Amino acid sequence: MHLAFLRDYHEALVIALARTVPTLERGTVAEVTGLTPQAVSKVLARLVDEGLLEPAGVRRPPRGKPAAVYRLVPGSRWAIGAHVSRRALRLVLADLAGTVHASTATPLPADFTPDQLLDELASGVTTMITEHRLAAPELAGVGIGMIGPLDQSTGTVRGAHRLRHWRDVPLAELAEARLGLPVVVDKDVTAGVTAEAWRRGTTFRDAALVVVDAGVGAGLWLGGSAHRGSHTNASEFGHAVVQLDGPLCACGRHGCLEAVHEQAPDPAAAAAVLATGVVNLLQTLDLGHIVLGGADLLPHGDLYREAVEHAVRTQLPGADWLTVEVSLTSLGPDVVAAGAAMQVLDARYGLPAPTRPREPVAASR
């Protein structure tokens, strides 16, 4: 089991590197990963046999022996990602590089039930599989970015706000039974911030994706990985109180950021409310990046971005040295669904979780 973990870990290191560069060679892989040249050769051979990498010619340096060059085969593996909002189901098809190749959106009934969602999900997934001629092992599975609160470790929705039929629903189990495919379930905003991290690389270490989509949430990326918290229920950013005598929120409290944002009289006022919440988040977590997205935010994207940038400059103490990059997601309305697909690919082809305490990688050389 331990050897299998190390093998998967080494393969994941190479795939992660291949996603970030046009081509790679044995020496570069050894330098970046810390693996021995012999270990790198074995990993490269396995990945070529599995179709994940392919030879891409030979590099002939001025001195020394020619070096074989390899590149990722993005179309070797696929995943379908789903974004479940309170109003619609969005599906995307993404390849191993994280590129979105197809996107669809289907309205959902008001206050939809688990069965209604599963019916739409099964129909949409079947259509996508048929249209793109997908089959195992090329199709790694389906990821679902779902409204919280939820227990990501079991894929159970604990009580989605404003959805009466979603208390203690084992969504991952139900979806796997209906689809006959592996399913990964996570909070919508956590899936979304995963997509941003895949696209932005290693400099995206401490960041948040703030989403406004029939509610307010923030996916957290801390120390280079998704932050879910002790109960996998982090990111309830919209339910931080910003006005003690404020309006009643769907969660039962008064003055939550989400409720105050919804009561704002116009987009400019709503953007100012969200911006104050973002400053509170920055004061708590000292983030370097804030990415904005969501179906209700993007139509006013520049207004929201400017409001957050202004709040950072004027409300954040030490803004002269606590620099924060504020941007809009480049994935538009697909960001959550794309992140859910990437989580499926990461579950199989990313860094695996050990089943027991493992030795440092250097000990296995």
Side-chain angles (χ1 to χ4, degrees):
M1 180 65 72
H2 190 45
L3 291 176
F5 165 78
L6 288 175
R7 183 189 66 190
D8 291 346
Y9 185 85
H10 296 163
E11 289 184 0
L13 287 176
V14 176
I15 292 173
L17 177 60
R19 283 197 291 107
T20 63
V21 295
T23 60
L24 47 80
E25 58 188 74
R26 190 179 70 169
T28 304
V29 174
E31 180 180 352
V32 172
T33 64
L35 299 174
T36 65
Q38 294 81 2
V40 170
S41 294
K42 292 179 180 179
V43 172
L44 291 173
R46 286 199 300 267
L47 293 176
V48 170
D49 287 344
E50 294 175 21
L52 302 174
L53 296 182
E54 65 181 2
V58 175
R59 185 180 70 85
R60 300 184 183 279
R63 296 181 179 178
K65 297 180 179 180
V69 177
Y70 302 86
R71 63 187 169 210
L72 186 72
V73 183
S76 62
R77 297 294 185 272
W78 301 86
I80 295 173
H83 174 197
V84 183
S85 74
R86 294 182 178 90
R87 297 176 297 215
L89 170 66
R90 180 174 291 273
L91 297 177
V92 305
L93 176 65
D95 64 22
L96 189 57
T99 302
V100 174
H101 290 258
S103 173
T104 65
T106 305
L108 291 171
D111 198 23
F112 57 89
T113 66
D115 281 340
Q116 288 173 318
L117 173 63
L118 289 168
D119 286 344
E120 292 293 346
L121 180 65
S123 175
V125 168
T126 299
T127 298
M128 195 163 276
I129 288 173
T130 301
E131 289 182 351
H132 296 273
R133 300 178 182 179
L134 302 172
E138 288 78 14
L139 181 59
V142 176
I144 302 175
M146 179 66 188
I147 307 158
L150 60 79
D151 179 353
Q152 189 270 341
S153 64
T154 63
T156 301
V157 182
R158 291 300 185 191
H161 294 310
R162 308 187 198 186
L163 293 176
R164 292 178 302 150
H165 310 288
W166 288 85
R167 182 162 297 280
D168 297 331
V169 176
L171 179 57
E173 178 183 335
L174 294 174
E176 284 188 349
R178 181 69 70 91
L179 301 174
L181 292 166
V183 172
V184 174
V185 173
D186 206 344
K187 271 194 173 182
D188 48 5
V189 288
T190 306
V193 79
T194 300
E196 292 295 326
W198 264 52
R199 293 170 69 85
R200 292 170 182 261
T202 56
T203 60
F204 195 77
R205 288 192 54 79
D206 295 285
L209 171 70
V210 177
V211 173
V212 182
D213 188 347
V216 177
L220 303 176
W221 194 263
L222 303 181
S225 62
H227 176 76
R228 297 183 176 88
S230 296
H231 306 92
T232 72
N233 193 49
S235 303
E236 291 292 325
F237 169 63
H239 299 290
V241 172
V242 294
Q243 183 181 341
L244 292 177
D245 60 349
L248 180 65
C249 181
C251 73
R253 304 171 77 199
H254 284 267
C256 289
L257 174 66
E258 181 174 299
V260 176
H261 177 270
E262 289 180 351
Q263 295 274 322
D266 55 57
V273 171
L274 187 77
T276 296
V278 168
V279 171
N280 291 343
L281 189 63
L282 293 172
Q283 287 280 68
T284 304
L285 296 177
D286 185 20
L287 305 174
H289 300 259
I290 294 291
V291 185
L292 305 173
D296 294 338
L297 183 150
L298 289 175
H300 311 284
D302 289 338
L303 187 153
Y304 272 89
R305 179 180 50 77
E306 291 167 5
V308 172
E309 289 176 337
H310 177 74
V312 169
R313 289 195 306 270
T314 60
Q315 298 181 30
L316 184 65
D320 56 329
W321 63 279
L322 294 173
T323 56
V324 182
E325 178 186 320
V326 181
S327 61
L328 299 174
T329 176
S330 62
L331 284 164
D334 289 336
V335 63
V336 170
M342 293 173 202
Q343 286 183 329
V344 172
L345 294 167
D346 200 55
R348 174 59 187 87
Y349 302 105
L351 299 182
T355 55
R356 59 177 177 171
R358 64 179 182 84
E359 301 169 5
V361 173
S364 67
R365 297 177 191 173

